[in-house]
């Protein structure tokens, strides 16, 4: 997810995370979301000169996801992804929501992620990185 965010969002992101992987990825996933949200908030500063609102719809094969955000200074996540499998590779798909909740909370942004179509878990998760290209 971070690689997609970096490459499509034209952002230089380097994250090194150590966690309790022997238990599961939950806390590390959430901590990375917290750190990314805090970095966004810091980078945006007083938000002067930015476009406050963003909207984007992106396809990836059969999957179609819409992302709408508002750098309002208020945290909210409306999460509407229906990921059909519990895992993609070793990644627990329940962690996608946890990641974006942490980002939205710490960036102090309103974030709506809605799946319009799709049945392949990998495609749904990957296309939600359309947050990278919001204009």
């Amino acid at each position: 997810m971070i690689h997609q965010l970096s490459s499509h969002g034209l952002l230089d992101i380097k994250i090194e995370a150590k966690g309790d992987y022997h238990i599961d990825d939950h806390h590390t996933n959430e901590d990375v979301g917290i750190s990314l949200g805090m970095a966004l908030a810091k980078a945006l500063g007083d938000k002067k000169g930015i476009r406050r609102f963003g909207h984007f719809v992106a396809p990836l094969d059969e999957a179609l996801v819409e992302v709408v955000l508002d750098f309002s200074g208020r945290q909210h996540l409306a999460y509407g992804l229906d990921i059909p499998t519990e895992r993609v590779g070793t990644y627990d798909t329940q962690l996608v929501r946890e990641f974006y909740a942490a980002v939205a909370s710490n960036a102090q942004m309103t974030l709506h992620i809605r799946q319009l179509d799709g049945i392949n878990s990998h495609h749904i998760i990957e296309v939600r990185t359309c947050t990278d290209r919001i204009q």
Side-chain angles (χ1 to χ4, degrees), residues 50-62:
I50 70 162
R51 292 182 182 175
R52 178 178 156 180
F53 303 102
H55 175 257
F56 196 74
V57 179
L60 179 63
D61 297 336
E62 88 299 343

Side-chain angles (χ1 to χ4, degrees), residues 29-126:
N29 180 86
E30 188 176 39
D31 289 347
V32 169
I34 290 168
S35 297
L36 182 58
M38 292 171 70
L40 280 171
K42 183 177 179 180
L44 292 173
D46 63 9
K47 301 179 201 144
K48 289 186 180 177
I50 70 162
R51 292 182 182 175
R52 178 178 156 180
F53 303 102
H55 175 257
F56 196 74
V57 179
L60 179 63
D61 297 336
E62 88 299 343
L64 184 65
V65 173
E66 175 183 47
V67 176
V68 182
L69 60 78
D70 175 9
F71 284 104
S72 61
R74 295 178 301 280
Q75 62 183 2
H76 177 75
L77 173 66
Y79 180 84
L81 297 184
D82 182 21
I83 302 171
T85 61
E86 290 183 14
R87 295 199 173 276
V88 171
T90 61
Y91 186 71
D92 180 350
T93 58
Q94 289 182 336
L95 298 181
V96 174
R97 184 187 189 292
E98 298 301 320
F99 176 79
Y100 279 104
V103 170
S105 176
N106 288 277
Q108 292 294 299
M109 67 190 266
T110 298
L111 178 61
H112 292 260
I113 303 173
R114 182 171 31 174
Q115 178 182 336
L116 304 175
D117 205 356
I119 57 171
N120 181 293
S121 298
H122 173 84
H123 294 162
I124 294 164
I125 292 170
E126 191 170 24

